[in-house]
Every structure is written in structure tokens, then in C-alpha cells.
Amino acid sequence: MRFLAVVGALAILVGIGAAVYLFGGFYSVAAQVEDPAVMNWALVQIRSRSIRRNAADAPPPDFQGRVAAGAKAFVQRGCPTCHGAPGMEWAKFSEGLNPSPPDLKDIAGGLEPQHIFWVVKHGIRMTGMPSFAAAGVADDEIWSIAAFVKQLPKASEGDFKAWTGQAGAAPPAPDASAPKP
Ligand code: HEC
């Protein structure tokens, strides 16, 4: 009985301590602060398992033929701002995101098409990755974007320019120092 009382009292103390720490403003939400390794590990596990469980949609039959349309949409929807693209610079501010946006050409080879589709459609909460469905992009266009992302590891700068039909110049990055209209 006495043992249980001690355990109960300790649990209450831990709860009070956590409440003071979190609601007292002691926990830092600054993006420069690195999370402890164990928390990082847990967040990555939770993210990848959640996506694996939810990403169930099959790609359309013409998936492979959508690469050029997907490259155009990738540029128009602003993905290079955070993820870069062949011959296109990432916006400087993307270095300040935590977690940092991955270089898609390094990781796309290991991602299933339905995984890419799900992430672009729904976004990833508490990261900078937006939901493009919430931003009004139709599933059809998102499948094209996923087809392009799948091809990224093999795409040269020349391919990318041909697909997008542009000189590969970066769109003007939003300028944080610009005066508000
Ligand atoms: C404002 C910045 C930003 C924009 C714009 C953005 N992303 Fe991301 N994206 C991120 C961040 C940050 C992550 C990393 C999330 C994480 O670590 O959990 C990410 C992750 C991803 C991933 C990897 C998911 C995984 O499971 O590893 C893919 C694929 C992706 N983005 C594709 C896109 C595409 C395609 C677009 C454009 C339609 C886009 N992103 C636009 C910030 C962005």
C-alpha cells in the first residue's frame, strides 16, 4: 500500500513538473533548437508509420506518362522553394526550417508513388510540408507531381528544362525584407 502511495505521489509530482515546464513557457519552440535524439527518432517513426498505414491509393494507369506535366506543376506549385530542383536553387529561408526539407532526388528512389501522393496531398503536420489538397490542388495534378518526383533521381538539368519548357530560372523567391503593400 505504502509503495503504491509513493508511486502515486511521484506520478503527481511528475505531472505537475511537466505542466509547469510546458505551460510555464520553459519549453523552447525555437526552430534552431535541435530535438533530443530519442524524440527525433520517435517523430520519424511516427511519421513514416502513419504515412505507410494511410497511403493506400493506387497510382493511375498512365502514371509513367505524367512526368513532364508533373515537372511543370512542381514548379508552378512552388515545391522548388523548399526542395530545389535540377538547376534551381532552394530559397534561402528553407535552411531555417526544422525539420529541414529533404533533397527529393536523394530519397525519391525509396518512396512508393502512393507515399509521395499522400504526403503532397495531405502534408505533414508540425513540419513545413503543406497539404496541397487544402491549398486547392486536385488529385489528378498531385499524381502528376508524384510521377515527376519518382523520376527526379534520374532527371538531368536538361530533362527538367525540356519538361518544364523554361530556361530553368528560379521563380522570384518571396522577399521577407520587401515592404508590405
Ligand atoms: C514550405 C516548404 C515546403 C514546400 C513548399 C514543400 N515542401 Fe515538401 N517537405 C517540406 C518539409 C519541411 C519536409 C520534411 C517533413 C518531415 O521531415 O517530416 C517535406 C517533405 C516532403 C517529402 C518527403 C516525405 C517523406 O516521407 O520523406 C516529399 C515527397 C515532399 N515534401 C514533396 C513536396 C512536393 C512535391 C512539394 C510541392 C507540391 C512540396 N513538397 C512542397 C517542406 C516543403
Side-chain angles (χ1 to χ4, degrees), residues 74-75 79-81 83-90 103 105 148 152 157 160 168:
F74 189 85
V75 173
C79 318
T81 319
H83 292 289
M88 286 178 86
E89 280 303 316
W90 310 30
D103 191 340
K105 76 173 172 327
F148 165 69
L152 252 177
E157 213 174 300
F160 186 65

